[in-house]
Amino acid sequence: MPMPEYPTALGASTPDKITLLGQDLAEDVMGKVSFGELAFWLATQRRPTTGETRVFEAVLAALADHGFTPTAIVTRLTYLSAPDSVQGALAAGLLGGGSRFLGVTEDCGRFLHEVLRDRQLPLDVRMDGEGWDELALSVVRQEREAKRFIPGLGHHVHKDGDPRTPRLFEIAREEGHYGPHLSLFAAIGRVHPRVLGRTLPLNGAGVCGAALADLGLPMELLRGFALLARTAGLIGQLAEELRNPVANEIFLSVDLNNLSVPPEPYGGQHG
Amino acid sequence: MPMPEYPTALGASTPDKITLLGQDLAEDVMGKVSFGELAFWLATQRRPTTGETRVFEAVLAALADHGFTPTAIVTRLTYLSAPDSVQGALAAGLLGGGSRFLGVTEDCGRFLHEVLRDRQLPLDVRMDGEGWDELALSVVRQEREAKRFIPGLGHHVHKDGDPRTPRLFEIAREEGHYGPHLSLFAAIGRVHPRVLGRTLPLNGAGVCGAALADLGLPMELLRGFALLARTAGLIGQLAEELRNPVANEIFLSVDLNNLSVPPEPYGGQHG
Amino acid sequence: MPMPEYPTALGASTPDKITLLGQDLAEDVMGKVSFGELAFWLATQRRPTTGETRVFEAVLAALADHGFTPTAIVTRLTYLSAPDSVQGALAAGLLGGGSRFLGVTEDCGRFLHEVLRDRQLPLDVRMDGEGWDELALSVVRQEREAKRFIPGLGHHVHKDGDPRTPRLFEIAREEGHYGPHLSLFAAIGRVHPRVLGRTLPLNGAGVCGAALADLGLPMELLRGFALLARTAGLIGQLAEELRNPVANEIFLSVDLNNLSVPPEPYGGQHG
Amino acid sequence: MPMPEYPTALGASTPDKITLLGQDLAEDVMGKVSFGELAFWLATQRRPTTGETRVFEAVLAALADHGFTPTAIVTRLTYLSAPDSVQGALAAGLLGGGSRFLGVTEDCGRFLHEVLRDRQLPLDVRMDGEGWDELALSVVRQEREAKRFIPGLGHHVHKDGDPRTPRLFEIAREEGHYGPHLSLFAAIGRVHPRVLGRTLPLNGAGVCGAALADLGLPMELLRGFALLARTAGLIGQLAEELRNPVANEIFLSVDLNNLSVPPEPYGGQHG
């Protein structure tokens, strides 16, 4: 077996030069490219426009931190237990970024993407509101018949509207990136009461997925961007924990309230 | 035991409003605060100036990706093995961000910080070059006598100079954030040949630690910022892996070249 | 909100006593319960019989280590990069235990379980070989029509038979735990050539899933037992890495063979 | 660069055979080697005796689960948040196995090991109780003078004695593995009141480290064995969570009791 070669357009270095994405890292990236811009560039291997960057960073801001979520609690407890490993505390928190809490962003983006793909609508489709409403109506009906929830529709706290949603629509419109995913999502927000018989809010994490999809980012990594945003949030959680620790109190509030119960055998003759 | 309360200045929400760091998330953060700025703000609970943000983002750019590092290989292999879990692939990569590869940033920042603290030098100390050289000389001598390496001095590839180092000095100077940590680090770079008898480059990951320390960021989290930068890099690695996969070839290059050897008993009668 | 209580039958302690699963840990568990037995007991809250333990431990042995798998390489590389954190190296390796490499065990167990449930066959069903063959034939036909693969059928290396498979059948039979999942899996092995037109081996990781299901272990955790087995294997990998390190060579074999290529823009105008 | 080879004595396979540690996996390991025995064998590449296995498994039992520790809470919360990834929930829990909670085992084993090494005492040294007391006395005095705590001395719950400690001494003695580490630890337990002026219990996690060291296991991996034990415990936690979930209640007990406070700026002009 001959030695394989591993192609990459990301980081590379020679004794006197470091390149990243074909750029001179020191001269052309450091001091010239913002972090949000760079994250977009790394994921797509193309430099985003100012407008794309603004929408992208608005999404990251929307997803960075939501207070004492399971991910935040997990990062604080892991740091309490293993303060020697900041990487472990951050990694543990990110591992909660799965289907249930951070998943809405990915699920919503993918769902809209698949609708558009199945209808063979191009990514630069332009329709008037009525066109979108019609499409949305058929989608909501179809999902209702299949007894499936529409990802991104509904929110357990912001029952009358998630404040992030209209704001992200607005920013995307200002920057000319209000594309078919956001259009369809907005239309779903308008028409679903006609089918479901009640009005649900458009979830802010869901609209983020729609916006990322309109930016042309890879579907497989929508969850990844939510995790990038959350990494910044978890560092904030650790910084606060360092100064105003609560993890030990959380731990004790569980441990001291444990209730010892007899085992409940499972399976076998008992199953 | 009464129910404890858990104070936080980070995310909070009511049915119709979401706040983050005391700001209205939708109105005052989304579309107005860049991601690098927000990450700084989350970690310090204060909004950075434009200059602070530029230095901070230059550091993040310097640390985001270095090609096929262990962290990048780990993320790609984990995705190969468990493509259902993007969070797992990113977390696995971050777990390599420990003492050896990402540690230089933290170690260097801390080292300089401790020197300044032991000498009781204030964070806004102003000295001329000679003053710094004198301090640096005593530090290099002291470490040499103790047979300790100075963190951030030396680089296994960039033997004649890491291109990130002069660039970060420059950016920090332009923005007025060339403080005592960077000053001392630069002085170490000037004087160490007199003590060690040979000239070593100032490591780019090390100078990042000095710059973060001059920005007043918490010492305990310097590694955290390197991990934030790396998260963006690892998403880039995954995006590339999705389109031009190499992980399976890496796996096979190891597995197919395994050499079965007899066990070497350890410990016990054999130890 | 009143303080909640958290019931558990697992570990509990008072100043002078520690209990686990309702047992006195020091007196009744330590020195009396083997580790495999304890792991089974913890998962089911009932003490397994000697026969159940033997089948269970045979499964763990079958899954503990397969040489230079992605999980093993990941653990070694992470330890190279962050030797300060053994927990990080093990956790990183386990994160590769997802759908593709360790998933067969879970997928196969679940698949068989669902077939039995859909046919409303009780867990102690007793049929002769012909009865199983008939059921297996209908299952293989159904999956073929749906163009789905049967989990656990086929192996990329052991094309003429995985040596673990007949051995696990044998052990289960010896211990009286050759139940409906193993029976159905064996029958699939016998009849599939009639439908598919070629003979595939029954995968050893798949038969492990069938055996765990016959032991009445929870379907949601079949992957968990594979991970427990793998934890022991990864400790073995680390122990070997400490004495005969290869991780740095693996890293260099990739890094030194990187091929710098121009970026391939994705999405946007380019997508 | 020629293709490197990667030697290993662990898993290897050919189309018709799988070996592990030089054994035929199917014929010689499955059904014949218990899981605790195998874990020991993997770590040392030698098959343990019955006595070694019994001591080793007693240690694993002692460390498997302690109820609602941070690691257990973290695993449950991560599963709540990302139920699609059992591997993520287990990995997150293990990441809490660091210096503070699981560290005692490693720290105690290492501490005793270093004392013996510095005194150049062979691993099969035989001394009477007085000899050990004398050594222990000098060690306790030395640590006291250096204002260092002795790892494994003291316990925050079991103030009058950890029930695991005498039991593990007993098991080790029964099996002839009461070696110098346990002897020294026991002597520290006897003599420290003379130096410290008060009686502290010998911690059960600490005595586990001493016992593992007497078994000749590698110092670098003592924490690894604690993590192996904990993996079984965390699977138990997940199994219980599946049937009697508490994670959502834990999450809400924190989230609903959050107290929004104003930011406290850190660093910069404010630092």
Side-chain angles (χ1 to χ4, degrees), chain C residues 29-93:
Chain C
V29 182
M30 288 172 66
K32 293 185 179 159
V33 179
S34 81
F35 184 52
E37 205 179 348
L38 181 62
F40 191 115
W41 196 344
L42 283 161
T44 58
Q45 304 201 352
R46 68 179 179 86
R47 186 167 192 171
T49 63
T50 311
E52 286 173 322
T53 302
R54 185 161 170 252
V55 176
F56 183 61
E57 293 195 310
V59 168
L60 296 181
L63 300 175
D65 184 79
H66 302 148
F68 291 115
T69 54
T71 61
I73 302 171
V74 160
T75 284
R76 288 182 184 244
L77 285 171
T78 303
Y79 189 73
L80 172 72
S81 190
D84 46 324
S85 169
V86 167
Q87 70 269 27
L90 292 177

Side-chain angles (χ1 to χ4, degrees), chain A:
Chain A
M1 175 174 170
M3 199 62 160
E5 283 193 316
Y6 305 106
T8 182
L10 302 177
S13 61
T14 60
D16 59 353
K17 196 172 170 181
I18 304 177
T19 58
L20 184 64
L21 295 156
Q23 311 293 309
D24 183 310
L25 173 64
E27 292 313 312
D28 301 329
V29 181
M30 288 170 66
K32 292 184 179 160
V33 179
S34 81
F35 185 52
E37 204 178 349
L38 181 62
F40 191 115
W41 197 343
L42 282 161
T44 59
Q45 304 203 352
R46 70 179 178 84
R47 186 168 192 169
T49 64
T50 312
E52 286 173 321
T53 302
R54 186 162 169 252
V55 176
F56 183 62
E57 294 194 309
V59 167
L60 296 181
L63 300 175
D65 184 79
H66 301 148
F68 291 114
T69 54
T71 62
I73 301 171
V74 160
T75 284
R76 288 181 185 244
L77 284 172
T78 303
Y79 189 73
L80 172 72
S81 189
D84 45 324
S85 169
V86 167
Q87 71 269 29
L90 292 176
L94 292 181
L95 289 172
S99 57
R100 202 162 145 195
F101 272 73
L102 286 195
V104 181
T105 299
E106 179 168 356
D107 295 343
C108 184
R110 273 180 190 272
F111 173 78
L112 300 168
H113 201 70
E114 280 160 24
V115 168
L116 296 168
R117 196 193 52 200
D118 292 349
R119 264 70 169 186
Q120 302 193 312
L121 290 171
L123 274 186
D124 58 353
V125 62
R126 289 285 174 267
M127 286 203 272
D128 60 8
E130 246 171 84
W132 286 115
D133 283 7
E134 218 169 291
L135 175 57
L137 214 45
S138 84
V139 166
V140 177
R141 280 192 185 121
Q142 167 194 302
E143 293 307 297
R144 205 226 160 104
E145 269 158 42
K147 296 188 181 176
R148 284 191 297 253
F149 290 108
I150 292 177
L153 192 59
H155 197 290
H156 67 294
V157 173
H158 308 297
K159 294 188 196 298
D160 296 328
D162 185 323
R164 296 170 296 176
T165 305
R167 180 66 178 133
L168 196 54
F169 280 131
E170 180 185 41
I171 293 168
R173 210 177 282 114
E174 284 170 10
E175 302 299 341
H177 288 290
Y178 191 92
H181 300 87
L182 285 167
S183 299
L184 175 56
F185 194 54
I188 288 172
R190 286 192 298 270
V191 307
H192 75 271
R194 283 192 250 164
V195 183
L196 305 183
R198 61 194 181 122
T199 303
L200 294 167
L202 292 177
N203 189 302
V207 76
C208 286
L212 293 174
D214 270 348
L215 290 173
L217 292 164
M219 283 303 117
E220 298 89 340
L221 295 179
L222 294 194
R223 191 185 292 186
F225 300 111
L227 292 162
L228 174 62
R230 186 50 52 97
T231 305
L234 293 176
I235 291 173
Q237 293 281 340
L238 279 181
E240 192 170 75
E241 178 70 19
L242 280 166
R243 294 196 285 152
N244 296 309
V246 298
N248 199 48
E249 213 172 353
I250 293 174
F251 158 51
L252 291 178
S253 86
V254 181
D255 193 37
L256 298 180
N257 290 294
N258 87 79
L259 179 70
S260 209
V261 296
E264 290 181 35
Y266 175 88
Q269 305 309 314
H270 319 269

Side-chain angles (χ1 to χ4, degrees), chain C residues 212-234:
Chain C
L212 293 174
D214 269 348
L215 290 173
L217 292 163
M219 284 302 118
E220 298 89 341
L221 294 179
L222 293 194
R223 193 185 292 188
F225 300 110
L227 293 163
L228 173 62
R230 187 50 52 96
T231 305
L234 294 176

